[in-house]
Amino acid sequence: MWQPQYVTAHQRAGFRRYQYSAVDTNPLSVYVMQPLWNRIVKIVPLWIAPNLLTFSGFLMILINYFLLSFYDWDYTASGASPGIVPTWVWLFGACTTFCAYALDSIDGKHARRTQSSSPLGELFDHGLDSWATSIFILSYFSICSRDNGKTGTSVHTMYISLSIVLLNFMFSHWEKYNTGVLFLPWGYDLSQVLSSSGGLLTRLQGELFQKPDPRQDLDDQLYCRHTFGLPIKVHSAWQTLIAMYLVTAAVGVEVWHKPFLFGYYITDILVILLIGCSIFLSLPQTLYNIHKAHLKKTLKKDSLYEGLLPLVSPVLLFALLTIWVILSPCDILAKQTRLFLWMVGVVFSNVICRVIICQMSDTRSEAFHWLLFPLALVIYAAVTGLLGKNEEMALTIFTMLATAAHVHYGVWVGRQLSKHFNIYIFSLKKHIQA
């Protein structure tokens, strides 16, 4: 049977030398959420593998997305046709989002409890997060709904928002690729703290603030996460989405389609905060940290060319996608919004997973990802009119193939590293050596 070697021998050797390093001074993380997770993790049985917690959280996000897709494929159910999505779906979304949030917040702590921390576990976590990032925001769009002429978010705003979120995720790993340290910025947390006030105005209260245990393991305070596109598992992003699900279930989607401040809707304000904090807080902080490492002569890459290599494929990806969005003869983004955005998330995840592997193994990043070539051919055929009325069919076929390729890649990378480290992905048992 064909067994692809996605991770090279040189990269596998680099994983052996990998040491996790992150810096987090965010008070929301240190003073609020960490004490809660330290209590929750204690109820997890010690025989459960940490990766099983990570994967379970990802599956919950995925199931919620597919459920929303069933009721709201074209993102109109919350705008033009309110009431189509049953109340229980929003409640289910709140429940699964909270459970996924909790599971993905305690997996690293549980790994330390069971003394099973490994580079494979971190790669598994980050790899799933790179995909969950897009799924998370695509589910959020079901609450916003697409523009119906009066309210809602335009499909182009959806695409721009998703692109910015994913680019911020990329910048965090590009930063670590160059500095060796994952810095955890405050920017997106700040935007989400502000946006959470929308939940308060819709009668959702509450967070219990606690002081952290001074004896708390430093690793717990520095444990890194990646959700909603920023370099940390953005606590308030999860909390805001949970609050929005609950509000929607309680009073209906109409609450999001009423003017809130200066004629702007709550969903508009959230998008503005997301874009503003990403551009004016998160990106400048990333550039500053790289510049600081350059002044200290601690950069891991010797040349500008080597340092910029991880950005080539992601930048080309979004350039190609933007060309398709703008020049599509059939306005593909408007006709197949959910399918197109899903494809964006899948291809990005595959591109960034390879960057993460290079970053963790301290190896040179590839310049061009192979998926860019078939994507470029599809886009060329579409914008030149060669596909004619088959443009939507071409998108469907490419999306299916890209998704299958991404799943295949993830499975075989997991198998390779599982064998390399002599561990199972979803069990704490060791491989039996022949």
Side-chain angles (χ1 to χ4, degrees), residues 6 106 184 189 219 252 298 391:
Y6 288 119
I106 65 174
L184 310 182
D189 270 345
D219 286 341
T298 57
E391 185 176 354

Side-chain angles (χ1 to χ4, degrees), residues 29-261:
S29 171
V30 175
Y31 291 93
V32 181
M33 303 315 303
Q34 292 297 340
L36 175 62
W37 306 137
N38 288 336
R39 294 182 180 182
I40 292 179
V41 73
K42 293 178 182 178
I43 68 176
V44 179
L46 292 175
W47 57 267
I48 292 181
N51 288 336
L52 191 58
L53 300 179
T54 307
F55 190 62
S56 297
F58 174 77
L59 285 181
M60 290 182 180
I61 296 175
L62 196 62
I63 292 171
N64 179 56
Y65 170 80
F66 285 139
L67 185 62
L68 287 170
S69 299
F70 176 77
Y71 284 101
D72 184 28
W73 175 258
D74 55 2
Y75 289 116
T76 59
S78 296
S81 307
I84 290 181
V85 181
T87 299
W88 69 266
V89 172
W90 302 118
L91 292 173
F92 180 80
C95 180
T96 54
T97 302
F98 175 78
C99 290
Y101 176 25
L103 289 172
D104 208 19
S105 296
I106 65 174
D107 53 4
K109 297 177 182 296
H110 185 62
R112 288 184 283 277
R113 286 177 72 220
T114 55
Q115 298 182 345
S116 58
S117 298
S118 71
L120 173 58
E122 183 179 337
L123 176 62
F124 189 75
D125 187 16
H126 295 349
L128 288 180
D129 283 343
S130 70
W131 196 356
T133 295
S134 61
I135 299 173
F136 191 75
I137 196 168
L138 294 185
S139 298
Y140 165 75
F141 288 151
S142 284
I143 296 177
C144 298
S145 84
R146 66 190 295 171
D147 187 9
N148 59 14
K150 295 181 179 179
T151 62
T153 303
S154 73
V155 293
H156 292 95
T157 300
M158 290 182 180
Y159 170 69
I160 293 172
S161 300
L162 178 62
S163 300
I164 290 176
V165 163
L166 296 180
L167 286 171
N168 270 276
F169 190 99
M170 176 200 69
F171 284 134
S172 69
H173 285 284
W174 172 60
E175 178 182 12
K176 189 178 182 183
Y177 177 85
N178 283 281
T179 66
V181 180
L182 191 60
F183 295 90
L184 310 182
W186 295 20
Y188 194 71
D189 270 345
L190 175 61
S191 71
Q192 290 300 321
V193 169
L194 294 173
S195 65
S196 293
S197 61
L200 294 176
L201 293 173
T202 48
R203 298 186 220 97
L204 280 183
Q205 299 283 342
E207 263 193 22
L208 178 63
F209 285 78
Q210 304 176 36
K211 292 184 177 180
D213 186 343
R215 299 166 296 178
Q216 180 182 358
D217 186 350
L218 179 60
D219 286 341
D220 288 347
Q221 295 187 27
L222 298 186
Y223 179 58
C224 157
R225 301 159 175 76
H226 302 262
T227 301
F228 220 138
L230 273 280
I232 48 179
K233 176 177 288 189
V234 186
H235 308 295
S236 294
W238 288 89
Q239 295 159 2
T240 301
L241 185 59
I242 294 169
M244 293 182 75
Y245 280 139
L246 292 174
V247 171
T248 304
V251 300
V253 294
E254 294 83 2
V255 69
W256 310 115
H257 303 288
K258 297 178 181 178
F260 172 65
L261 186 65

Side-chain angles (χ1 to χ4, degrees), residues 46 49 83 217 227 246 290 306 315 321 362:
L46 292 175
D217 186 350
T227 301
L246 292 174
I290 293 177
E306 291 285 343
V315 170
L321 292 170
D362 195 20

Side-chain angles (χ1 to χ4, degrees), residues 131 342-343 346-347 371 398-408:
W131 196 356
W342 170 270
M343 179 271 294
V346 169
V347 178
L371 269 176
F398 178 78
T399 301
M400 293 173 62
L401 293 177
T403 303
H406 186 45
V407 172
H408 184 271

